[in-house]
Amino acid sequence: MKSVGRAGALRVVVDLNRCQGYAQCCYVAPDDFALRGHEILFYDPAPAAARRGTIERAVQACPVRAISLQAAPDDGEAP
Amino acid sequence: MTPEPAGIVVVGASLAGLRGAEALRRGGYDGPLTLVGAEPHRPYDRPPLSKHVLAGALEADATRLPELTSLRARWRLGSAAVALDRAARTVRLADGSVLAYDKLLVATGAQARPWPAETGGDLAGIHTLRGRDDARTLRTALVAGPRHVLIVGAGLIGCEAASCLRDLGLPVTLADPHPAPLANSFGTFVGGVIAGCLRDAGAVFRPGTQVKAFEGDAAGRVVRARLADGSALEADLVIAALGAVRATGWLRRADLMADPGGLTCDAACRARAADGTACPDIYAAGDVARWPIPLYEGRLVCVEHWGNAVEQASHAARNMLAGPGDQRPYTHLPAFWSSQFGINIKLVGLTAGADSVAVVQGSRASRRFLAVYGQAGRSIAALSFDQARWLPAYAGAILAGAAFPPILDATDQPRIERADPGFSPSRASASAPRPVEVFHA
Ligand SMILES: Cc1cc2nc3c(=O)[nH]c(=O)nc-3n(C[C@H](O)[C@H](O)[C@H](O)COP(=O)(O)OP(=O)(O)OC[C@H]3O[C@@H](n4cnc5c(N)ncnc54)[C@H](O)[C@@H]3O)c2cc1C
Ligand code: SF4
């Protein structure tokens, strides 16, 4: 998992109250989502823009709709 | 100075401010929208800061939150609101500008409770962890290889930090006045499990320990902590994890029910004036809001968790757009997660006031269990250590006000044993050292 953490990155957040650790996202997008321990979901909140298709599939795969992805490309820190 | 045009102003540009602004747009609000933020950053996510960011798995600036609706907002970042004039309906910013509003959403959250300067708080090497810049500074200090790290306060952030620091191989002592870690959140019955995790991870947990002051060297760097019993603990890096103070300083002269404990609201998230009446044009959401929670007899609470910031902000936004006769009460089941020592911890409900606890799945010894908290025969909270898939069923039982212990088919226990949860009798007064309350701005 290599976070870019700057303009151009995707923006992802998972509602970890809602997440049930089903790991479907991890099968679909193993480079961006991973289970650590029994059920801690670790994910990259700022994947490279080229990964959009994969992340969108992970969003769809999550049975509890816990994953949110910003639709628009990131415009950097500029207000 | 002529005020700029009115509309809706959101003060606090973090999780609650962002999700509130999005809900306003989703709810059809089309007028001017301004987000004011003290930090120079667009809204970012805090939970990873004390977890993956400290551990070095994520950069601090990777945590910017996705913006889920087109906001068409004016961002006023890097300039805190310093005063509210309710009569004129204006907010003054630190840079001197004045923003007029028709409706205001207060989402200024909370700040880390700092260690007081009089007892060493100004020494170099003493850190707090609330924002992304704190996390970056702390991370840099950790990479430099401190010899003795002392974490003061074994709450959620203190324990998460201890877990990360042990993963990094750093020597860690965690000091807390309570007999067990997380005693305020979970009681000592469950806190003992985390004490075991700390021990296995090679951290030193010092229960019953009151830090009185920090002492520094000639260069003004912290070298040791002085304890209440007169003894000393060596420390060249300190994390003061003493909880948070609600950011209400800018409301000081606004004649609202606001103090470092929060901004009091009515059931519909409207701020209360000092005389108790609800302001029709000022709403609050997130960590800063102190509100009557219907599920727990309308007790006033600040729920300082991610899920509340999201849900309360949407609810407040909905009421901001609705007429005075259509103000819906905010009904929320508090919930949070934490991860530490490889364990996924999740809680639903509020444990405050619990008189009993029962393990209904798994066992404390295995560190995989589900425990239910009861008060006067009613189930009030459920806690999961790596048993998250059982939690929704118990959340339902809590919402329904089910008897304690709840009878669900799911239990794997031969019989359900009730235990004393081990909360200290006066939870408010017995927590971490309480320096004087501080106001922001
Ligand atoms: C390190 C850390 C880890 C956490 N981990 C978890 C977790 O695992 N699970 C969980 O459920 N919750 C967790 N939380 C809690 C969660 O992050 C908060 O509940 C959430 O951030 C609250 O959002 P908020 O917008 O209400 O307040 P905040 O996030 O505190 O944001 C308030 C914003 O307002 C700004 N502000 C303050 N005063 C002013 C002013 N006068 N003018 C303008 N702007 C102002 C601040 O700079 C800040 O950006 C964690 C919090 C921290 C700090
Ligand atoms: S698919 Fe959804 S529920 Fe499952 S681990 Fe991923 S985010 Fe969590």
Side-chain angles (χ1 to χ4, degrees):
Chain A
M1 251 172 246
K2 255 276 158 277
S3 254
V4 271
R6 55 179 151 75
L10 301 176
R11 298 292 167 190
V12 176
V13 75
V14 179
D15 180 341
L16 292 174
N17 288 318
R18 191 178 274 256
C19 166
Q20 296 298 314
Y22 291 122
Q24 271 86 337
C25 56
C26 311
Y27 299 122
V28 174
D31 292 337
D32 307 282
F33 298 85
L35 280 191
R36 295 197 171 169
H38 292 291
E39 53 176 59
I40 297 172
L41 179 67
F42 176 65
Y43 65 94
D44 184 351
R51 307 204 53 75
R52 180 173 289 278
T54 310
I55 307 279
E56 277 168 354
R57 282 193 294 282
V59 170
Q60 295 305 323
C62 175
V64 291
R65 311 288 275 162
I67 308 170
S68 301
L69 166 67
Q70 179 169 311
D74 203 312
D75 56 1
E77 283 291 300
Chain B
M1 186 182 302
T2 327
E4 294 170 29
I8 296 182
V9 172
V10 178
V11 182
S14 178
L15 184 62
L18 173 62
R19 295 297 180 242
E22 290 170 354
L24 288 166
R25 288 297 189 217
R26 269 201 317 276
Y29 175 68
D30 207 27
L33 178 61
T34 307
L35 280 101
V36 179
E39 296 176 79
H41 312 300
R42 284 279 268 265
Y44 60 87
D45 208 26
R46 295 179 202 275
L49 300 179
S50 51
K51 305 175 184 75
H52 313 299
V53 172
L54 272 201
L58 283 180
E59 297 290 330
D61 62 359
T63 64
R64 180 166 160 188
L65 281 163
E67 293 168 17
L68 302 174
T69 312
S70 167
L71 285 181
R72 290 167 282 120
R74 283 190 304 164
W75 294 86
R76 299 294 301 262
L77 299 177
S79 194
V82 292
L84 167 66
D85 184 336
R86 286 202 289 132
R89 288 199 176 155
T90 55
V91 173
R92 188 156 48 82
L93 306 192
D95 65 9
S97 56
V98 173
L99 301 178
Y101 65 84
D102 297 316
K103 290 210 166 127
L104 179 69
L105 178 61
V106 176
T108 43
Q111 283 140 349
R113 186 185 295 274
W115 192 271
E118 313 84 71
T119 49
D122 285 347
L123 292 168
I126 300 183
H127 297 256
T128 53
L129 180 51
R130 177 83 201 175
R132 145 177 156 176
D133 298 336
D134 302 334
R136 187 183 294 106
T137 312
L138 179 52
R139 174 76 198 152
T140 307
L142 295 177
V143 170
R147 278 172 302 124
H148 304 280
V149 180
L150 173 62
I151 302 175
V152 189
L156 288 161
I157 291 177
C159 288
E160 289 176 2
S163 170
C164 290
L165 267 56
R166 285 310 302 146
D167 286 345
L168 295 171
L170 295 169
V172 183
T173 300
L174 179 58
D176 192 280
H178 292 91
L182 297 174
N184 270 341
S185 304
F186 302 148
T188 55
F189 178 82
V190 168
V193 177
I194 295 296
C197 293
L198 282 160
R199 202 181 315 116
D200 292 356
V204 177
F205 177 59
R206 305 239 343 192
T209 303
Q210 284 274 2
V211 175
K212 280 288 172 218
F214 290 103
E215 296 167 6
D217 61 13
R221 280 205 59 88
V222 66
V223 289
R224 73 183 77 82
R226 187 62 63 187
L227 307 183
D229 64 6
S231 65
L233 274 179
E234 267 188 76
D236 57 346
L237 194 157
V238 172
I239 304 175
L242 308 171
V245 203
R246 266 57 59 188
T248 55
W250 66 287
L251 301 171
R252 195 173 347 193
R253 276 180 282 277
D255 209 28
L256 292 168
M257 282 187 171
D259 56 57
L263 168 59
T264 303
C265 303
D266 73 353
C269 308
R270 288 175 296 203
R272 285 198 188 278
D275 66 5
T277 55
C279 305
D281 50 356
I282 305 177
Y283 289 72
D287 283 14
V288 74
R290 183 167 51 197
W291 52 282
I293 183 163
L295 198 55
Y296 298 90
E297 293 87 37
R299 181 164 89 217
L300 284 177
V301 291
C302 282
V303 176
E304 294 176 88
H305 301 308
W306 196 95
N308 177 62
V310 172
E311 200 175 315
Q312 194 171 27
S314 307
H315 192 90
R318 185 255 164 227
N319 281 351
M320 288 172 91
L321 300 180
D326 181 27
Q327 294 290 304
R328 293 199 194 143
Y330 178 54
T331 54
H332 171 71
L333 174 64
F336 72 85
W337 76 90
S338 168
S339 55
Q340 45 188 282
F341 306 103
I343 302 170
N344 184 33
I345 300 178
K346 292 179 104 174
L347 182 88
V348 294
L350 296 178
T351 59
D355 53 36
S356 4
V357 62
V359 171
V360 295
Q361 295 283 336
S363 66
R364 284 182 300 161
S366 68
R367 294 175 185 163
R368 292 195 80 171
F369 61 90
L370 198 136
V372 179
Y373 291 80
Q375 179 182 27
R378 196 189 124 195
S379 297
I380 59 167
L383 172 66
S384 158
F385 272 44
D386 276 345
Q387 294 275 7
R389 68 203 159 111
W390 298 107
L391 207 52
Y394 288 92
I398 290 158
L399 276 174
F404 175 85
I407 320 288
L408 292 177
D409 297 339
T411 188
D412 64 355
Q413 310 291 298
R415 49 185 278 258
I416 291 179
E417 314 254 4
R418 298 154 182 250
D420 176 353
F423 287 114
S424 62
S426 53
R427 291 174 66 177
S429 57
S431 47
R434 290 266 152 179
V436 279
E437 304 280 19
V438 287
F439 278 107
H440 181 253

